[in-house]
Structures are given as structure tokens and as C-alpha cells.
Amino acid sequence: MSLAEVLSHIKVANPDDAGEIERIVTYFYESSPAKKGFAYQLFESLVVENRDLTFSRGAGGKMESTVHGYEITEYSKSFMENKVKISSNGVISEYTFAQALMHEIIHAVTGANDDGTPGADGIGNGGDYGMPANLTTPKYNYVGLTVALEQQIFAEAGIPNARASYHSTPYLNELENQLGVHMGESLTAGKEVGLVLLDDIAPLDTK
């Protein structure tokens, strides 16, 4: 199979966005080891199964997709402006539009959800995701299946400092204004930690 065959199954509703989305797909496809890489296999599956992956801007200004529905229903570059991710060693780095779009592609093509609880389909759609009310909940998967696959794809592409959990993508100004930390700095003084969780940070005082 070839990149051209993969791109023939990428359908973008807004022609103005087609070039950028095709470049993002190309980047992750070509950065993934041929035959063995997860992103490579994900995009090749579109050709093997003769399925189109569609992209629509939507109206909500967010990043959304249908789980195993082969459709990105919303995407917004402005929504991703100033977004950062926090790695397992606490490093703050940019969480780009391309990286967030890849997260939604994982949902749409593989059927993986953001929780880690196996559902009836065995993929991981069985329960709630995120942060439970009781932080002592045993065996709770704070990473989630989609983020675990995202981590694998980013490692294949050589993207450093993948986010450590589902709840580790705040906006930079929240961290700067309320915690006094900046891009490239570490929240843990560079030490590796087993879990990164950010609860909702209170709205900023703009007065």
C-alpha cells in the first residue's frame, strides 16, 4: 500500500482545511515504522477495510469524534491555542492541533474510548473516564485507552513529553497565572511520577 492510497480515504468537508489535515495524516503515517507501527497500521486499515475517514469543522469549536464511527465531527485550531500537555516527569509542553487531531483519529478509527474499562466490545467503552469523586478508587485507569495509544504513536514519531494521563492538558495561562510555572518547566522538578492529574482550575480573575 502507499501514502496516496491512504490519503484517498481522507475526506475533508471544508476544502480550505484539506491540505493541512492531509499533511498531519502524512506526518504520523510516515513517522510510524512501516508494517509494525501503530499509526501506520491504523491508517492502512482504512485501505484494507475500504473505509473513509471524514473531517467536519462542526459548530461547537471543540475537538470531537465518533467512537469507531470514522468521523471527526468537530475540530478547531482556536480551541487548541495555548493548550499544553504535562508529561510523567512534569514537563509542560505544547499540545498541538495536530496532536489533538491524532487523538480524535484514534477514537474514530480504532473504537478506543477515553476510559480504560473494557466494554461489551472488549475495546474500552465500558465506563466513565477521568477523575472519580473518590481518588482512592482502586484500579482506576487515569490514563485511558486512547491516551495510551496516543503515547505509543507519539513515541514512534519521536514526539517528546507525551501527556501522562487523560486529565493533563490545561491551558498555559492557567498554569502561569495560578501556579507560576511556564512552558518547558517541570511541575515535579524533573522527577518521574506515576500519576499526573489536574482537577478543574478555577476561572481566572480578569478584573
Side-chain angles (χ1 to χ4, degrees), residues 98-120:
Q99 293 168 11
L101 193 66
M102 189 66 234
H103 180 94
E104 299 305 328
I105 291 171
I106 294 170
H107 282 312
V109 177
T110 71
N113 211 328
D114 286 320
D115 72 291
T117 309

Side-chain angles (χ1 to χ4, degrees), residues 188-200:
T188 63
K191 295 179 181 178
E192 192 81 13
V193 294
L195 178 63
V196 174
L197 281 181
L198 275 82
D199 200 350
D200 290 337

Side-chain angles (χ1 to χ4, degrees), residues 88-133:
S88 59
N89 59 357
V91 173
I92 302 164
S93 60
E94 184 182 9
Y95 192 50
T96 67
F97 172 69
Q99 293 168 11
L101 193 66
M102 189 66 234
H103 180 94
E104 299 305 328
I105 291 171
I106 294 170
H107 282 312
V109 177
T110 71
N113 211 328
D114 286 320
D115 72 291
T117 309
D121 56 10
I123 295 174
N125 304 330
D128 295 331
Y129 62 86
M131 190 164 62

